Amino acid sequence: MKILPKDKKGLIEAAIGKKPCDLLIKNAKIVNVFTGEIYNGNIGVYDGFIAHISCSIDNSEILNIESKNQYDAKGKYVIPGLIDSHIHIESTLMTPRNFAKAVIPCGTTTVVTDPHEIANVYGVDGVKYMHDSSEGLPMRQYVLAPSCVPAVLGFENAGAEIFSEEIEEMLKLERVIGLGEVMDFLGVIENSDRMVNILSVLEERGMFIQGHAPFLSGKRLSAYLCGGARTDHESRTSQEAREKIRNGMYVDARESSISKNVKDVVNGVKDFRYLDNLTLCTDDREADEILERGHMNDVVRCAIESGLNPIDAIRCATLNSARELGITNLGGIAPGYVADLVFLEELETMNVESVIFNGEIVAEKGVLLKKIEDRKFEIEEKNSIHIKDLTVDDFKLKAPIENGVIKAKVIEYGSQVSSATQIIEEEVRVKDGCVFLEKEDDIKFVIVINRHGKINTKSIGLVKNFGINKGTIGSTVSHDSHNLTIVYNDINEALKVMNDLINIKGGISCAFDGEIKGHLQLEVAGLMTTKEAKEIAVVAEKMKITLREMGLTEIKNPLLRIVTLALPVIPEGKMSDLGLIDVNKKEIINIF
Amino acid sequence: MKILPKDKKGLIEAAIGKKPCDLLIKNAKIVNVFTGEIYNGNIGVYDGFIAHISCSIDNSEILNIESKNQYDAKGKYVIPGLIDSHIHIESTLMTPRNFAKAVIPCGTTTVVTDPHEIANVYGVDGVKYMHDSSEGLPMRQYVLAPSCVPAVLGFENAGAEIFSEEIEEMLKLERVIGLGEVMDFLGVIENSDRMVNILSVLEERGMFIQGHAPFLSGKRLSAYLCGGARTDHESRTSQEAREKIRNGMYVDARESSISKNVKDVVNGVKDFRYLDNLTLCTDDREADEILERGHMNDVVRCAIESGLNPIDAIRCATLNSARELGITNLGGIAPGYVADLVFLEELETMNVESVIFNGEIVAEKGVLLKKIEDRKFEIEEKNSIHIKDLTVDDFKLKAPIENGVIKAKVIEYGSQVSSATQIIEEEVRVKDGCVFLEKEDDIKFVIVINRHGKINTKSIGLVKNFGINKGTIGSTVSHDSHNLTIVYNDINEALKVMNDLINIKGGISCAFDGEIKGHLQLEVAGLMTTKEAKEIAVVAEKMKITLREMGLTEIKNPLLRIVTLALPVIPEGKMSDLGLIDVNKKEIINIF
């Protein structure tokens, strides 16, 4: 795949000097990711592409390039625009347009987003929204067709189901360049019809297939690779990263808000003779962290801090990612390449001075210079929370005995910082046919209520060591089905939280002492808000303080605690609107 | 682009161990081109693809892989099958099927051939022949659609002309994966209609475009890159290779029968931090050299001898080439990759022990094990030499004076080993209206006679320092138009050589003392023969001895002396059937 100029004839003429360039970047220290060299030079840009470079190496002289405009880099480093090889923009809580406003000043000029969150709510329409609303931005948002909606077929009801026909429909969109992370690895290695059909659509077209292979190793990893995906962003350990690169996989080292994997991945692979199968990504990084630490520039910084040579780290987030995607003129500073450029005072700190996208200066000193117009989209106005009137009784967990003590299957967290759980058996008290929990109990109820309006399923289970020691927390962000999920022990409070979330059209809400204590409104698909990063950060910060007060002190971002409780691809026990799921056995199991 | 297995479900099952592999390769020292490591391991192959690898690294144990058949590598190194990133199979003088017989035992499992020689004779039909006749071989012959037929439009009449419509037609063929070397670099950087239209066909499809940019540097190189090609096999100097890789180009270091560039290229780039833009190729390598030195294994050996680390050199001829072409599962030893493998006793010498193609053992100790059936193709039977009856008078160079001395433009070679020339002015004698040359004169006549049957053009010029001190040499191999080219001073001998070449349906023929002294028959399109490498080598060796006797002692392969005399892309002066061409000025100029 290649990014084509509008005026190719003009570009050739500008390169050879028959017509002036649009922009001359002079006095730049060019970081060459093809050779690893750094040298001084001038860069001529025309029609958004690099036309010509004149540099001072091998005794050559820096020559002037005729141009309409000039940009004096004043001796700063210039690197290719940063590429995020795997992201879900929904996880930033921002819309694609507001996301752009936040990350462009950080030097991120290209992202590859898998909109599988909104696809679980609105299906293909949600993907079209992500695609259409990112049109014309001063950054490149490539979109992948979500491959696993719902995450695991038959174990949850999401708002949509995507099969090969829907994939084919999405592939027709201009900036849809491949298949989103193939999470249903069991489906792949067991040749499930859904995955076989979807993968063949992509393989026949020779298109990019993004992988997702947590903990896969040995024969299972081999089988997954034979399935067609060749990338993975789920490496958590050095060993995992090593094994994957050895097997020819691209490892997208992740530094998300939840998972900080760059250090371990880099330590695992930095001594390899070749690093071109290593890229960097954010996966899920929230607005406040982007504001505080940065975006891809922060991930590159982490890689450097973890011991990677700065040029290698920059290459990982530029040329390597472009090659992983199969884009042949992105990620380097060379004639014919897209003129996405980032200027830095020094490489190690990755503090971005200014950003050029498509040959235009779009950000300087953290400020977006290019106006991103507000545009309205139907989906942003739509209500995605469809829950039929429930009463307190609906929040009661009915037991097969009237009174007494009964053994129940409980989802137990090992710690607040891990989303992995075990299924254990605990004795619980039953009163009047329902499970009864004390306030101080470290077992809580969890309810997952389908909110997509097609079906009225809901299910109640038990969760231990979730982390709150009082109150109730509820969320419409609940990977990947995004059904309304509430953790509580007071059924009245649970009802209040539910109604609060219905009122605000989705988001995260919490209550204690019988009162709503705060909420983060996410009115777009119950996942995002049309507010900008700064506003989100203020509300999110307040919410975090409240959630810490409720006991979520260990997890760095307590807002993210609840969002994976209903994610049936992370072992061992997870809840869905259909019941308690044993992820390893791929079974819905009875609580009692 | 991806190479797809026939039985993908089975491959996944074999990978995970649900069904046995077809072949287990055990006791191999695996050279991992993704990491640069070498370790012991077992490789399971199914349906021509690598299903699973079990290896002894990071304290892991080599596990058995269940399989129907076994191949004991006995501790030998195993590397991916070698890839020739740029070749014209016609230049080996062999047909695609006989070429395969010669190179497979050398470890070459994939070539990317640009059949522009036969395309200049037979147009699209010639390309279809190269494509169809290489079907079902135990090696992969990818074909490129020739981009510049004729080489320079308007300066010669070849047997065909190729424009964007013909390119589109060729792209429909299964193994046509891109555009052949874009030699008309002037057309590219000057936005000629032909090149603009042809390049846009490929760019719109995001397909591979092979470049050809001899001596291009600075702004001209930039303009060429903006034109769309991103590879080049014409680097002759270290500096040229460095500049090209710095500009994001893939440099295909060439070790052809004429041009030995690997040493200079390697010396130019071996200290770069990254070498993934470096590949290796043979371009034009003749049968006898393949027999004597090898094929891609010899080019890798040259790269190692030039100072490249052996694993780097192997990577250049495997993974780097596959990535240059955009093939995502070729060139590495990993699950899901094509099982093309080469076994070696030691890496440095690159002496090939055995070869596996598509999971099957196809060669061992230099012997082809897999039978390549002889097949007949219409084009192989066809006569491509269409020359209307000429007489001795047609070989006379007419002058604008009747008798005396006149200044004439002469093509002068600097040495026997270079194909570059200058146009000089010399005084020549005229007798009865025709130029008269003494036998001992170092100026000779050169005639180029259109042989393609559509038009009866011919043209006579003068050449100095060609290298023969007696006799006549003629060839139907005459890049790129492949018109019949004869160098002579005796018109009777010239006529004899022409008639000899007509009789044998094309080839190279020589005469002195009024007699034909030998010929190499190339009856397929006047370019190739259906004979095998060994037979060709015997005849070629005889011819070489004769040509050396005629004075061509300095050039390593004297058969190649005449074949570039009519190539109007190598400066400064070349002959075509239309006259003397000033290559730099792009003009046909008057001799007198």
Side-chain angles (χ1 to χ4, degrees), chain A residues 2 8 32 35 37 52 58 203 222 227-228 239 242 246-247 273-274 276-277 312 315 323 335, chain B residues 2 8 32 35 37 52 58 203 222 227-228 239 242 246-247 273-274 276-277 312 315 323 335:
Chain A
K2 196 165 186 176
K8 188 176 148 185
N32 188 321
T35 65
E37 298 167 310
H52 179 57
D58 282 353
E203 288 200 312
S222 295
Q239 171 57 27
R242 271 202 300 279
R246 270 185 201 127
N247 280 286
R273 189 167 180 86
Y274 315 114
D276 35 1
N277 273 33
D312 289 347
R315 193 185 211 251
R323 287 184 169 172
Chain B
K2 197 165 187 174
K8 188 175 148 184
N32 188 320
T35 66
E37 298 168 309
H52 179 57
D58 284 351
E203 289 200 311
S222 295
Q239 170 57 26
R242 272 203 300 279
R246 271 186 200 127
N247 280 287
R273 190 168 179 86
Y274 315 114
D276 34 3
N277 273 35
D312 289 347
R315 192 184 212 251
R323 287 184 169 171

Side-chain angles (χ1 to χ4, degrees), chain A residues 46 51 101 143 216 261 311 330 392 480 498 564:
Chain A
Y46 182 89
K101 292 178 192 168
V143 178
L216 283 193
N261 306 132
I311 303 179
L330 182 71
V392 282
D480 283 336
M498 181 193 77
T564 54

Side-chain angles (χ1 to χ4, degrees), chain B residues 272-287:
Chain B
F272 281 162
R273 190 168 179 86
Y274 315 114
L275 286 178
D276 34 3
N277 273 35
L278 180 65
T279 83
L280 302 172
C281 72
T282 62
D283 199 352
D284 303 297
R285 180 173 278 227
E286 297 197 0

Side-chain angles (χ1 to χ4, degrees), chain A residues 19-24 45-46 65-71:
Chain A
K19 69 189 304 180
C21 285
D22 297 332
L23 181 70
L24 164 65
V45 173
Y46 182 89
I65 297 170
E66 214 194 313
S67 177
K68 291 181 197 153
N69 298 295
Q70 293 206 347
Y71 179 78

Side-chain angles (χ1 to χ4, degrees), chain B residues 468-482:
Chain B
I468 55 174
N469 48 37
K470 66 172 176 183
T472 302
I473 174 165
S475 178
T476 57
V477 182
S478 185
H479 299 280
D480 283 335
S481 60
H482 300 298

Side-chain angles (χ1 to χ4, degrees), chain B residues 19 32 68-69 79 82 154 210 306 317 379 398 413 427 476 494 528 536 543 573 576 582 584:
Chain B
K19 67 189 303 178
N32 188 320
K68 290 179 197 156
N69 298 296
I79 65 170
L82 301 173
Q210 191 172 68
S306 305
I379 268 186
K398 301 209 168 43
Y413 280 98
E427 288 193 338
T476 57
M528 295 170 275
I536 298 172
M543 277 289 284
S576 87
D582 184 323
N584 293 334

